[in-house]
Amino acid sequence: MLGTESLQTVYNMSMMYAMVWTINRHYASDSSNPLTIAQFATWETSRSYHNDLIDAALQLASGAARIKFLTEGERLDESHADEEPEPAPLSGLNGRDTAIWLLDSLRAYKRLERHLLLPRSWYKRNGFYCIVYTGAERGRIQTIKEIFRRLLDIYVINVNVFLVERLNGTVQVFNYYPYQPHRCQSHQPVHYATFEGSLGTDPTLHAPYRWRFFDTKLDDMHGCELITVTFEHRPFVMIDRSPTELTDGERLHGIEGMIFRLMAERMNFTIKLIEQVDHDRGVVLPNGTTTGAMSKIVGGSANITFACFMYNKERSENMLPSISYTSFPIVLCVPGGQPMSPLQRLINPLGDKTWMCLLICLALGFGIIAAMRLYGTRRQRDFVLGESNRVACLVFWMTLLGGLHMQPPRRNFARYLLTLWLLLALVLRAAYTGEMYLLLQDGRVREPLTTLAEVLAKQYMFHLIPAMQPLFRDLLPVMHYKLEDFYERSLVRLRDDEHAQIVVPLIEPSVAIFNLNSGVERPGLTVLPQPLVTAPLTIYMRPHSFLKQRMDSLIINMMSSGLVQRYRHMYLDRIEFPGRRKRSKEPTKLSLWQLGGVLASYLMLLLLATLIFLLEIAAAAPERRRLRRLMDAANRYVA
C-alpha cells in the first residue's frame, strides 16, 4: 500500500499529465487566445501543491513548443507595456475566454466567483475553462454539484472539473448539461472522461458519440423554454394575432422572426413570447437604470430580444449582441418641398446637362444649315443637306418633334447625318415623353432637397430616436436635434406639412412600411438620394449569455446558405412594390394645373403665329417692299 507521500506523488503526476494534455490539445490549438492559470488556495499546503502542479505543467507544455507562457503583467508588444488594459464591458463582450483555475475547497470557489461577478471581470462567462479541484474533504461530488449550480446561475456552462480518484490516482473529468431530456436548468455532475494513461495519452470519453473535450451543450436543448421579449415592427417582426391556437413560436413572422424560429428548430427550444406593448427597446437613464425591453434582459426576466435592434455601444455594454445577421442603410427623410409648377414639369424630364447637350446640338445644326445657305455652293448643300431640301431648318426642327422628312436625301453622307440625328431625336423624345407622362399623371410630385449640405444649410431640426443619438452626434456635430421615443408623429408631419422644418433619419425598410400604411392616396416620404450610414442589425441576449457561440454559428450558416437573403426578399418585396404597382394602374386625372405648362407653351406659339400672320399680310402691301424682302429672306434661309 502506498504511503501518503507516494500517493501525493501519484496524484501530482496524474493531474500534471491531465493539465499538460489539456493545454497542448485544446488551449494551444488557437494561438490568439491567451491562457490564464490561476490558483485560489485556502490553505498554505494547498498553495504549495498548486505551485508544484503549475511549475511542472508549464515546464512540460513549454517543451512541446506549441504555446508561449507569460507571467501576469507581461505583454507581447513592449511598446504598450506602460498602458493599463481596458476593462471588459458588462456584457462580457471582451475579456479572456480560456483559463485553468486551481481550487481546494468551496470557499476557494467563492473567491473565484467574486472575481467572475465583478462588473469589469477579466473573464468571459461564456468562455472555456478547466477547474483543477484538489480538495480532500468527504463528499467532494456534492461540492462539485454545488459549484456547478452556482456556475449555472452566472451562465458559465463550458467548465470541466478535474478530480483525482483516491483509490487509483486516475483523474476523472466532470461537467454538466443544463438542458437534458425532461429536465431544464440541470446542474447534475456528469462523469465525462477519465485520464488514466501516461503523458500525452488521450482521455477516455465515456459517451461514444462525444469527440470534443469541451462538448457542445446547446445542440439540443430538448424543448426547454427561452423567454423572448419583442414587439411588432414590420418587416422585421410580425406577430400573428389570429384566433387560431398557435404556439408563441408559430406566431412569429418577419425577417427576424423567421431567423429566430429557425434557430429554435435547430437548437430544439420552445419560445415563450413577451410582447413589449409600448414598443420601447430601452435606454440607459442617467441614474444607471434601464427601460423597455433592455430592462427585461438586464433584469433577467427574458433571455432574448430582437426588433430591428441597431448595434451601438450603449446596448452592447448592457446586453450581449450576436453577430450582425444583416444591415440596412439609414436614410434621411426630409420635407417634400413645394409642388412643381407647370413649367417645371416640362423642364424636369431632362436634366440640366441633357438640356445643355440638346441646345448645343440644335445650335450646331442650325449653324451648319445657315452656313450652307449663306456661303455654300449648290453641290455642297446637296452633299450635306440633301437634294431639293429647301426648308432644311423646318425639317430639322420637325424631325426633332417626331415629324416626317418628306424628301429624304439620296447621297450617302447626307443620309448618314440624317440617321444620326433621327436616332438622337428618337432617344431624347422617348425619354422626355416617358418621364413627362409620369410627372403629369402624379399631381403630388414635389421638388425635394437633394443633398445633406442643403439640409444643414437650412438648419432643420433632426428628430432622433435615442439609439441614433450617439451616432449622429459624432457624425454631424453641427446639427440641431431633438430626441423622440417614437418617430411616427414626426413622419406624419413630414408627409402632410409642406413647410415642415424637421428631418428624420430612419432605416430604409421603415420608410417603405410607412408609405405602404399611408396608402396610395397620400404622398410618400421624401428621402435624400444618398443614404447616410449603414446600420448593422443584431439579436441581443442577456449579459454573459452562453447562447452566443451557438447562435452566432447558426447565423453564419444561415447567411452562407442564403436563408437570410431569402427572408429579406420575402418580406421586403411585399412592402416595396405593391404601392408602386397600384399607383401605375390608377393614375390621377389630368387637371388644368398639371397641363398648364403645355397650355402656356401653346398660347405663346399661337401668339407668335398670329404675329407672323400679321407680318405676312403687311408684307403683301405694295408699299412695304423692305418688309417683304425681310420676310422672303426669313422664308428662304431660316426655314
Side-chain angles (χ1 to χ4, degrees):
M1 183 175 180
L2 295 175
T4 304
E5 183 177 354
S6 301
L7 190 61
Q8 185 69 29
T9 303
V10 173
Y11 289 175
N12 274 321
M13 296 297 294
S14 301
M15 187 64 75
M16 179 184 62
Y17 292 159
M19 290 176 61
V20 172
W21 182 95
T22 304
I23 291 172
N24 289 337
R25 295 297 182 87
H26 180 73
Y27 293 122
S29 62
D30 188 352
S31 60
S32 64
N33 288 336
L35 173 63
T36 302
I37 301 179
Q39 61 157 316
F40 297 85
T42 306
W43 297 282
E44 189 64 32
T45 55
S46 298
R47 186 173 292 109
S48 299
Y49 177 45
H50 292 172
N51 289 336
D52 292 342
L53 277 176
I54 294 174
D55 291 341
L58 292 182
Q59 183 178 1
L60 289 175
S62 298
R66 298 184 60 186
I67 191 168
K68 181 177 180 180
F69 294 98
L70 303 175
T71 59
E72 189 67 31
E74 284 187 309
R75 292 171 179 266
L76 289 173
D77 187 359
E78 296 298 334
S79 62
H80 301 285
D82 296 333
E83 297 182 5
E84 289 294 330
E86 183 178 355
L90 292 174
S91 65
L93 189 62
N94 297 321
R96 302 175 184 177
D97 57 0
T98 57
I100 297 178
W101 298 314
L102 286 80
L103 310 175
D104 63 350
S105 64
L106 183 60
R107 181 181 173 187
Y109 165 76
K110 292 179 180 179
R111 288 178 54 203
L112 169 63
E113 187 179 278
R114 286 196 294 271
H115 281 273
L116 294 175
L117 291 175
L118 289 175
R120 304 293 181 178
S121 175
W122 281 105
Y123 302 107
K124 291 182 183 179
R125 297 190 211 171
N126 53 17
F128 297 87
Y129 305 108
C130 287
I131 293 177
V132 176
Y133 190 78
T134 61
E137 76 276 10
R138 292 181 179 273
R140 292 182 298 172
I141 296 299
Q142 293 300 318
T143 303
I144 294 175
K145 181 178 180 180
E146 178 64 16
I147 290 175
F148 283 156
R149 184 190 68 80
R150 299 175 72 101
L151 287 173
L152 179 60
D153 290 341
I154 60 175
Y155 312 111
V156 181
I157 65 170
N158 297 312
V159 177
N160 288 337
V161 176
F162 292 1
L163 186 66
V164 175
E165 175 63 35
R166 288 193 177 98
L167 297 178
N168 53 19
T170 59
V171 177
Q172 298 176 346
V173 181
F174 293 88
N175 63 14
Y176 74 102
Y177 292 85
Y179 303 103
Q180 298 179 6
H182 311 294
R183 187 163 187 170
C184 301
Q185 303 297 315
S186 173
H187 56 271
Q188 293 296 323
V190 175
H191 187 194
Y192 182 70
T194 302
F195 287 92
E196 52 188 354
S198 60
L199 181 63
T201 304
D202 293 342
T204 302
L205 301 181
H206 296 296
Y209 53 91
R210 308 293 183 189
W211 58 275
R212 298 179 58 185
F213 187 64
F214 280 93
D215 194 16
T216 55
K217 302 180 179 181
L218 299 175
D219 285 347
D220 189 350
M221 296 177 64
H222 301 282
C224 293
E225 188 176 79
L226 284 185
I227 302 176
T228 305
V229 55
T230 186
F231 53 86
E232 188 160 75
H233 184 90
R234 297 171 179 263
F236 303 99
V237 179
M238 301 164 61
I239 301 177
D240 190 348
R241 306 185 186 282
S242 59
T244 58
E245 294 296 330
L246 298 175
T247 63
D248 286 353
E250 293 171 341
R251 292 171 56 200
L252 281 175
H253 301 279
I255 300 175
E256 287 181 311
M258 295 300 294
I259 290 175
F260 194 62
R261 285 178 62 179
L262 185 56
M263 285 184 180
E265 179 182 342
R266 293 299 303 273
M267 297 174 64
N268 191 18
F269 63 81
T270 57
I271 300 172
K272 180 180 179 182
L273 186 61
I274 298 178
E275 190 170 354
Q276 186 73 26
V277 180
D278 57 1
H279 291 201
D280 184 12
R281 294 178 179 84
V283 295
V284 180
L285 300 178
N287 60 3
T289 59
T290 55
T291 63
M294 186 187 296
S295 66
K296 293 182 174 62
I297 297 295
V298 175
S301 58
N303 303 106
I304 302 285
T305 185
F306 53 86
C308 188
F309 273 85
M310 182 180 69
Y311 180 88
N312 64 21
K313 182 179 179 181
E314 181 182 78
R315 288 172 177 170
S316 64
E317 287 181 346
N318 293 273
M319 299 183 292
L320 185 62
S322 69
I323 63 171
S324 175
Y325 72 92
T326 190
S327 60
F328 288 96
I330 294 179
V331 296
L332 190 63
C333 301
V334 297
Q338 298 294 331
M340 284 187 180
S341 66
L343 290 178
Q344 284 178 323
R345 293 173 188 268
L346 295 181
I347 297 174
N348 278 7
L350 299 181
D352 295 339
K353 294 181 179 179
T354 308
W355 280 116
M356 183 63 65
C357 293
L358 178 59
L359 292 177
I360 291 175
C361 292
L362 289 175
L364 184 61
F366 285 123
I368 292 175
I369 293 173
M372 290 291 102
R373 290 290 189 187
L374 294 175
Y375 306 108
T377 63
R378 182 178 180 84
R379 293 187 63 185
Q380 291 174 341
R381 288 196 297 269
D382 293 345
F383 181 72
V384 176
L385 304 178
E387 298 177 0
S388 303
N389 192 0
R390 299 179 180 178
V391 287
C393 288
L394 182 60
V395 172
F396 182 63
W397 181 256
M398 292 300 296
T399 50
L400 174 65
L401 300 179
L404 298 177
H405 195 323
M406 302 304 296
Q407 295 179 343
R410 298 179 181 179
R411 291 182 175 272
N412 292 331
F413 183 71
R415 289 178 177 179
Y416 176 75
L417 292 180
L418 178 61
T419 302
L420 287 179
W421 171 247
L422 290 178
L423 179 61
L424 175 64
L426 174 65
V427 175
L428 287 176
R429 192 168 59 252
Y432 180 84
T433 54
E435 186 65 24
M436 186 175 64
Y437 172 78
L438 297 178
L439 295 178
L440 292 178
Q441 290 288 343
D442 193 348
R444 299 158 293 192
V445 174
R446 302 167 183 266
E447 190 176 16
L449 301 170
T450 57
T451 63
L452 182 61
E454 295 179 21
V455 175
L456 296 177
K458 292 180 178 294
Q459 297 184 346
Y460 284 168
M461 180 71 68
F462 282 72
H463 284 208
L464 304 174
I465 58 177
M468 291 188 181
Q469 178 193 3
L471 174 64
F472 280 87
R473 188 172 52 196
D474 297 336
L475 183 65
L476 302 171
V478 297
M479 71 174 181
H480 306 282
Y481 68 90
K482 175 184 178 182
L483 292 180
E484 286 191 345
D485 293 332
F486 307 101
Y487 48 72
E488 281 78 6
R489 291 189 296 270
S490 299
L491 295 181
V492 171
R493 181 179 172 188
L494 277 177
R495 182 193 65 191
D496 299 337
D497 187 0
E498 298 177 0
H499 307 285
Q501 301 294 310
I502 63 173
V503 292
V504 181
L506 197 62
I507 195 165
E508 193 173 46
S510 298
V511 177
I513 280 289
F514 183 84
N515 291 338
L516 183 64
N517 294 336
S518 298
V520 296
E521 299 301 325
R522 292 181 177 272
L525 292 174
T526 303
V527 299
L528 293 185
Q530 297 297 327
L532 301 179
V533 292
T534 299
L537 302 187
T538 185
I539 297 173
Y540 280 95
M541 293 161 274
R542 293 212 52 198
H544 314 287
S545 176
F546 46 75
L547 300 170
K548 176 176 171 60
Q549 282 91 351
R550 177 59 177 155
M551 288 193 169
D552 283 354
S553 65
L554 287 177
I555 290 175
I556 292 174
N557 292 338
M558 283 187 278
M559 289 191 295
S560 301
S561 61
L563 286 173
V564 173
Q565 192 71 10
R566 172 177 170 78
Y567 294 150
R568 278 182 60 131
H569 288 305
M570 280 176 55
Y571 291 97
L572 292 182
D573 291 349
R574 299 179 185 179
I575 64 175
E576 290 181 348
F577 300 107
R580 300 178 189 176
R581 288 195 296 266
K582 186 174 181 181
R583 180 175 297 177
S584 64
K585 292 179 180 179
E586 299 179 5
T588 56
K589 295 181 179 180
L590 297 180
S591 62
L592 289 178
W593 169 257
Q594 296 170 25
L595 295 176
V598 178
L599 297 177
S601 301
Y602 176 77
L603 181 61
M604 292 175 59
L605 293 176
L606 185 62
L607 293 176
L608 180 61
T610 304
L611 177 62
I612 294 175
F613 173 73
L614 295 177
L615 291 174
E616 291 284 358
I617 293 178
E623 66 274 11
R624 305 276 185 165
R625 296 179 180 179
R626 185 175 299 178
L627 179 61
R628 185 163 57 251
R629 287 196 298 268
L630 179 63
M631 296 302 295
D632 290 340
N635 290 330
R636 181 177 179 183
Y637 294 105
V638 176

